[in-house]
Amino acid sequence: MASQRIEELLRSMSLEEKLGEMTQLAPFFFGVDESMDLTGPMAELGLSPEDIKCVGSTLNSFGAEQNIALQKKHMAEQPHGIPLLFMADVIHGYRTVFPIPLAMGCSFHPAACEKAAEVAAKESSASGIQLTFAPMADLVRDPRWGRVMESPGEDPYLNARMTEAAVKGFQGEDPKAPGRIAACIKHFAGYGAAEGGRDYNTVDISAGTLREYYLPAYHAGIDAGAKMVMTSFNIMDRIPAGANEMLFDQILRKEWGFTGTVISDFAAANETIVHGYAKDGAEAAQRYIHAGCDIEMMSSHYIHYGKELVEQGKLTMEEIDRSVRHILELKEELGLFENPFKDADAEREKALCLCPEHREAARQVARESVVLLKNEQVLPLDANREGLKVGLAGPFAVSKNILGGWAGTGTGVASLEAGLREMMPKAEFVTGMTEELGAMQDGIFDVEDHVAEACEALKECDVIIAAVGENPADTGEAASRTCLRLSPNQEKLVYELKKLGKPVVMLVFSGRPLEIRPMLPYADAVVQAWFLGTEAGTALADILTGAYNPSGRLSISFPQTVGQIPVYYNHYNTGRPLGSAEGRYASRYLDCPNEPLFPFGYGLSYSEFRYSDMRAVVDDEGILASVQVENISDVVGVETVQCYTHDLAGSVVRPLMELKGFEQIELAAHEKKEVSFRITRDMLRFHNDRLEFVFEPGEFDIMIGHSSADVLTQRVTLGE
Ligand code: GLC
């Protein structure tokens, strides 16, 4: 229920002022006045300085001093004293940068994701940010899409847990509280299903697939209390998502009860014209406002056409007031009417950003996000061995450009070399061919070939670390790729280093699964290093030296080859699964296995875990499944025990596996623990052919194990 203040404002604001409140512009629009040349962005959007006085929010304006000044100026000119709302992309950290969200998904540790969001909120709120365009809850299956780096991964259940954790980290119990910011769930909906993994491309998925796979994480973010939802660029069922009333009215508002604010993605309202759904700016504004999009980001159709649309009866004042009310309620919930600056404080910003406590938090989350993919008794390295000669080669060996997308270049970054020198003071390091890899975005597709020199320099080393990957600028938005292999000279470097006859440890710095199958025979150990943020180098050194026993598990499948995409674990069976009686006439490739190179949930440890004695019993509450997990090694370690189900027959086909729970346990050397999972009928519900969310009795396989490809199974029958 809107406050009296808001109802009074709605009564006193003109229609033009309301349409301004429904518009979001970049900060450079706010510095404009009559004395400045009104060409460029102002002319492009057809705006006047008078329009700017009523604009309701800005994006990506950073720095306490700048934002305090901007708010003071705006409040002095705003006809009703309505404060500006400062929003920004604080995706995986502000100044202390955490691992990319896909890497944090591999931690299988929601609390780690929550911690990252909490620190990001503290630092960014001190800089004057009041809402972040995060978490991104898009389910992803196609590593050709550059934005897989922003998602927790390919599973609805894991993505839901990580999304709700991020919302809690950003907002706390109340985003008005000091050090907290409001969260925005994005991109609603189905952006990750772009055909061909090509960003902004067509999405064409069934209603069932949308609800079963893509919607759960958004829903979890809403249920966790996120204050905002952002529209996605793609179409959904042939309608641009932000104008799709099934998504924004039926599902978001009516079914899920969302009462917060909806914002368009960047100029997405205008793109309804480009999609061919609106004939002009007026129709774009009409369709977006009617579908319930409250704020138009970085286009100006609301300002230009809102008034005539109301006068023509194509929009109602109730629709306008509904949107303005959402925006003013958000500002009221953030306490901006009492304190327009919220937590903006230059001294506090300086003290908090990159402080030791935040760096330590980033290092811990980074440790948990690393996935050990292969280890032929090479790791951990012996940090205590005097004079161990360690070779360091490849474009990421000494690079500090390892923060990942949406994080810029950052300061205070620990490179791999710096981390190793800190953790291995007794070792001797030799480097070779460490020139950084340029960006495909800049037309650079490889590093120079200094392989011969590198091999000559490193030939006497005891162990060689090859730090390879992709440039962070070639990940994230507008960064789709059709070939996911390492660049030719990086592959050549690994091949040739292996010929030196020494152990080779390959570290892969990437924002997506790369096609590393060709490299596996030449690497004795493979570590998926992602882009781990400010403490990347120290966290990786912790892993390589065994100071931290790797515990990461893949939240996205690694394809054998790009031709295999999409490959994901929670797929349907088909009528001719490989291994069926059909032999040749089975669903398979002639030139590639069906299985991924590395499956969802996979990851190695320096410990070794054995599963035994799995049980699944039916009781009044549903199914109680349990298993014994033993650490049969001499090394204490953390294991992520995963629980999956398979509904053998349903009124629609059902995935062969669905993650229903996971539990991280630490086991000392030779320690054994029982782990159990409660599976209720509610957890087994799904959308039937009429999209009713139902439980159907029948036979279920319950699977518990180390990964989606390594489980123990018990079959049960569960009735109504
Ligand atoms: C971008 C992205 C979105 C981001 C927004 C504001 O185009 O799609 O994720 O939050 O614009 O920068």
Side-chain angles (χ1 to χ4, degrees):
M1 181 62 182
S3 68
Q4 184 179 344
R5 165 177 36 217
I6 289 174
E7 293 313 318
E8 283 171 7
L9 278 171
L10 286 171
R11 281 193 292 273
S12 59
M13 289 167 77
S14 70
L15 176 52
E16 291 83 349
E17 291 163 346
K18 291 177 179 177
L19 296 166
E21 190 64 31
M22 294 167 66
T23 302
Q24 178 174 97
L25 296 175
F28 53 73
F29 282 91
F30 293 85
V32 174
D33 58 36
E34 285 71 12
S35 64
M36 292 174 70
D37 174 12
L38 297 185
T39 60
M42 289 289 279
E44 282 166 24
L45 294 186
L47 295 171
S48 70
E50 202 55 34
D51 294 325
I52 305 303
K53 291 176 183 174
C54 297
V55 166
S57 58
T58 187
L59 75 158
N60 292 332
S61 175
F62 297 105
E65 288 178 5
Q66 170 176 306
N67 287 340
I68 288 169
L70 181 49
Q71 186 71 288
K72 281 180 180 172
K73 178 177 184 296
H74 187 76
M75 295 286 288
E77 297 170 350
Q78 217 289 340
H80 302 274
I82 301 172
L84 200 59
L85 211 169
F86 290 77
M87 307 185 192
D89 292 289
V90 182
I91 307 300
H92 53 109
Y94 179 59
R95 291 291 173 264
T96 305
V97 180
F98 285 74
I100 55 173
L102 185 61
M104 286 198 273
C106 294
S107 73
F108 270 75
H109 191 197
C113 188
E114 181 180 342
K115 182 63 178 176
E118 183 185 335
V119 169
K122 281 180 182 172
E123 292 189 355
S124 59
S125 63
S127 88
I129 300 305
Q130 298 151 355
L131 179 144
T132 178
F133 298 130
M136 190 253 228
D138 300 316
L139 183 126
V140 293
R141 293 170 167 170
D142 191 334
R144 291 172 296 180
W145 192 48
R147 302 196 77 166
V148 297
M149 55 79 58
E150 295 176 62
S151 165
E154 73 185 40
D155 178 73
Y157 178 83
L158 176 64
N159 289 8
R161 303 293 74 77
M162 301 311 268
T163 299
E164 64 195 13
V167 170
K168 193 175 171 190
F170 286 127
Q171 297 192 164
E173 292 308 310
D174 177 357
K176 181 164 61 177
R180 298 293 186 177
I181 56 178
C184 172
I185 301 300
K186 71 184 186 183
H187 305 80
F188 199 63
Y191 184 25
E195 287 181 351
R198 195 175 82 228
D199 206 357
Y200 317 120
N201 200 8
T202 297
V203 166
D204 192 0
I205 56 179
S206 70
T209 294
L210 174 67
R211 287 180 178 271
E212 285 292 288
Y213 288 99
Y214 289 88
L215 291 189
Y218 304 120
H219 196 175
I222 300 304
D223 284 350
K227 296 298 179 185
M228 182 174 276
V229 170
M230 183 185 290
T231 71
S232 59
F233 290 121
N234 56 282
I235 59 172
M236 181 53 66
D237 199 6
R238 298 165 299 159
I239 297 173
N244 189 309
E245 293 180 51
M246 166 55 75
L247 287 177
F248 282 91
D249 184 50
Q250 174 56 34
I251 295 174
L252 184 65
R253 298 285 187 189
K254 291 187 170 72
E255 290 183 27
W256 293 357
F258 180 64
T259 57
T261 303
V262 173
I263 189 169
S264 81
D265 201 340
F266 200 103
N270 181 63
E271 291 177 14
T272 56
I273 303 169
V274 183
H275 276 293
Y277 184 67
K279 65 179 181 301
D280 55 23
E283 191 170 12
Q286 190 274 333
R287 290 190 182 280
Y288 242 62
I289 293 173
H290 184 67
C293 182
D294 302 312
I295 299 176
E296 179 183 16
M297 181 197 295
M298 284 301 287
S299 51
S300 53
H301 299 312
Y302 287 15
I303 284 180
H304 288 309
Y305 303 106
K307 187 169 192 297
E308 75 179 59
L309 287 166
V310 170
E311 288 163 354
Q312 294 165 357
K314 294 179 179 175
L315 279 176
T316 66
M317 270 313 290
E318 287 69 30
E319 288 174 306
I320 302 294
D321 284 350
R322 172 189 65 186
S323 287
V324 177
R325 188 175 286 112
H326 287 149
I327 301 163
L328 296 180
E329 283 174 344
L330 175 56
K331 294 184 177 182
E332 199 165 63
E333 283 178 295
L334 290 170
L336 299 187
F337 286 102
E338 288 73 32
N339 173 11
F341 310 104
K342 198 172 182 300
D343 307 329
D345 179 326
E347 286 310 307
R348 183 165 169 74
E349 177 184 16
K350 190 176 174 190
L352 281 172
C353 291
L354 289 164
C355 68
E357 178 195 343
H358 290 179
R359 294 189 70 128
E360 182 48 40
R363 182 167 178 171
Q364 178 55 30
V365 175
R367 290 179 186 124
E368 296 180 41
S369 303
V370 174
V371 186
L372 179 60
L373 297 176
K374 178 181 180 182
N375 186 21
E376 303 289 334
Q377 280 77 46
V378 175
L379 297 176
L381 305 177
D382 182 355
N384 294 316
R385 184 172 142 195
E386 195 69 42
L388 178 71
K389 285 190 78 170
V390 179
L392 266 180
F396 295 93
V398 303
S399 171
K400 295 189 175 186
N401 187 14
I402 47 180
L403 295 175
W406 294 106
T409 49
T411 56
V413 181
S415 68
L416 175 64
E417 180 188 28
L420 286 167
R421 289 185 182 281
E422 176 190 315
M423 295 303 291
M424 303 179 75
K426 297 178 182 176
E428 180 189 336
F429 292 92
V430 182
T431 59
M433 193 169 153
T434 59
E435 295 77 16
E436 301 213 11
L437 171 66
M440 293 181 186
Q441 300 276 13
D442 304 325
I444 301 169
F445 289 81
D446 207 346
V447 287
E448 286 186 8
D449 180 354
H450 298 298
V451 173
E453 301 97 302
C455 290
E456 181 59 27
L458 275 57
K459 67 184 181 181
E460 300 303 330
C461 289
D462 299 309
V463 61
I464 295 169
I465 296 173
V468 295
E470 63 179 342
N471 187 301
D474 295 331
T475 72
E477 186 171 0
S480 302
R481 295 177 57 179
T482 59
C483 173
L484 298 181
R485 291 187 59 163
L486 295 168
S487 62
N489 287 336
Q490 290 189 85
E491 290 196 344
K492 179 181 176 182
L493 174 65
V494 178
Y495 297 146
E496 294 302 323
L497 285 171
K498 188 56 197 157
K499 291 178 183 173
L500 298 175
K502 304 295 176 61
V504 173
V505 178
M506 182 170 79
L507 272 61
V508 183
F509 291 75
S510 66
R512 56 172 41 105
L514 292 181
E515 185 176 328
I516 56 173
R517 181 175 64 170
M519 313 312 301
L520 292 187
Y522 303 92
D524 301 284
V526 179
V527 176
Q528 179 57 36
W530 302 117
F531 292 115
L532 295 169
T534 305
E535 292 291 337
T538 49
L540 286 166
D542 293 336
I543 295 283
L544 295 174
T545 61
Y548 184 83
N549 185 353
S551 58
R553 300 285 182 270
L554 292 180
S555 65
I556 187 170
S557 303
F558 272 54
Q560 303 270 359
T561 171
V562 76
Q564 192 185 37
I565 293 169
V567 57
Y568 50 93
Y569 92 93
N570 43 3
H571 58 80
Y572 300 120
N573 201 22
T574 79
R576 293 193 175 187
L578 196 56
S580 66
E582 299 305 331
R584 170 180 173 184
Y585 298 96
S587 180
R588 64 192 179 95
Y589 299 102
L590 296 179
D591 57 355
C592 180
N594 283 5
E595 295 73 26
L597 183 66
F598 297 110
F600 176 85
Y602 172 85
L604 298 178
S605 164
Y606 297 143
S607 307
E608 191 175 349
F609 302 103
R610 180 164 61 195
Y611 287 68
S612 63
D613 193 19
M614 185 189 160
R615 300 160 190 260
V617 293
V618 171
D619 61 22
D620 294 343
E621 293 175 62
I623 301 161
L624 185 60
S626 64
V627 74
Q628 297 294 325
V629 185
E630 183 179 4
N631 177 357
I632 61 175
S633 78
D634 298 329
V635 180
V636 60
V638 172
E639 170 66 337
T640 298
V641 184
Q642 300 153 42
C643 179
Y644 300 87
T645 62
H646 174 209
D647 181 350
L648 272 73
S651 58
V652 292
V653 298
R654 309 286 292 106
L656 282 179
M657 297 186 85
E658 293 178 90
L659 184 69
K660 294 296 182 184
F662 55 87
E663 183 176 336
Q664 283 186 327
I665 56 170
E666 182 176 82
L667 290 173
H670 304 290
E671 184 182 9
K672 189 176 190 178
K673 279 182 185 172
E674 178 174 283
V675 177
S676 60
F677 294 93
R678 163 61 64 192
I679 300 156
T680 64
R681 289 175 177 76
D682 189 56
M683 290 165 66
L684 296 171
R685 292 201 296 169
F686 63 96
H687 294 86
N688 65 15
D689 58 336
R690 294 184 300 283
L691 297 183
E692 297 154 342
F693 196 45
V694 298
F695 165 74
E696 293 179 354
E699 284 192 311
F700 295 85
D701 279 347
I702 313 302
M703 298 158 274
I704 300 179
H706 172 76
S707 81
S708 60
D710 180 5
V711 293
L712 298 179
T713 302
Q714 288 287 324
R715 182 163 295 181
V716 299
T717 300
L718 186 61
E720 284 292 2

